[in-house]
Amino acid sequence: MNKKGQLELSFGMIFSIIIIIATIAVAVYFIFQFLSTSKCTNIVMTKSDLQSQIDNVWKSSQAQQIYTLSFPTNIKSICFGNLSSGGSAYSNEYIDLRRYSLGDSNLFLFPSTEACDGKSAQTHLNHIVNTAFFCVPLKEGKGKIMLLKESSQLLVKITSLNSTW
């Protein structure tokens, strides 16, 4: 005899609900993984494009070009230079990146943990002058730099452009 208000669910119904919940959880997981992968792809593509622009300036006898950086919004600044040179660049970025520095890198993303869990936080750019360490703050993932090569120079110099957005 069934009491009034008692709900009976069959094994098939319970199993179906569990399958639906598991399917939704897996779908959410893959959506987050896809979004994470697209951020990493954006970082790699921007660094590759920057290297291409540097190569173009380097091949010319002299050039001056403004380049707009575009990274995911979780990257707060991009830093250039030689970390071993030190100088007066003892900023939060310098201190953090110095801990994770490997090899002859001269381009760094800060915070390094936001660049594909640190895997894309640093790289080596070819054909640039090794300068003292400096950072370009990014606003909403964007910033501007100047690529400069004078006729007397063999390599490209990168400088920060302070502009309002």
Side-chain angles (χ1 to χ4, degrees):
M1 178 184 326
N2 286 340
K3 294 184 181 179
K4 209 172 197 180
Q6 186 178 9
L7 179 66
E8 290 184 23
L9 295 175
S10 68
F11 174 75
M13 180 68 83
I14 294 171
F15 187 72
S16 297
I17 292 171
I18 291 172
I19 293 295
I20 290 170
I21 292 171
T23 303
I24 292 171
V26 168
V28 167
Y29 172 78
F30 280 112
I31 289 170
F32 280 114
Q33 288 299 322
F34 175 76
L35 292 174
S36 174
T37 302
S38 69
K39 286 181 183 179
C40 291
T41 303
N42 182 10
I43 290 171
V44 170
M45 295 296 289
T46 300
K47 290 192 304 186
S48 176
D49 185 50
L50 175 59
Q51 182 64 64
S52 295
Q53 294 301 318
I54 290 170
D55 290 343
N56 289 340
V57 171
W58 176 70
K59 290 175 186 174
S60 65
S61 60
Q62 69 180 45
Q64 181 176 349
Q65 178 181 346
I66 295 173
Y67 181 77
T68 302
L69 302 161
S70 179
F71 286 100
T73 56
N74 55 345
I75 303 297
K76 301 301 178 204
S77 57
I78 182 169
C79 303
F80 298 93
N82 186 348
L83 283 175
S84 62
S85 68
S88 61
Y90 290 100
S91 61
N92 290 338
E93 291 95 341
Y94 178 82
I95 293 167
D96 178 63
L97 294 170
R98 183 93 170 117
R99 278 186 261 160
Y100 302 109
S101 168
L102 299 172
D104 62 347
S105 298
N106 54 14
L107 177 140
F108 306 91
L109 301 178
F110 179 81
S112 55
T113 55
E114 295 294 330
C116 304
D117 295 328
K119 296 173 187 157
S120 292
Q122 54 189 307
T123 192
H124 177 78
L125 294 174
N126 296 316
H127 314 299
I128 67 168
V129 176
N130 280 331
T131 60
F133 183 81
F134 71 96
C135 294
V136 177
L138 302 177
K139 185 172 184 180
E140 296 176 12
K142 301 207 180 304
K144 289 185 180 182
I145 58 172
M146 173 73 74
L147 304 176
L148 177 67
K149 182 180 178 200
E150 296 176 358
S151 58
S152 62
Q153 293 178 321
L154 297 176
L155 298 173
V156 177
K157 182 177 181 182
I158 298 175
T159 58
S160 173
L161 289 179
N162 294 334
S163 62
T164 57
W165 290 85

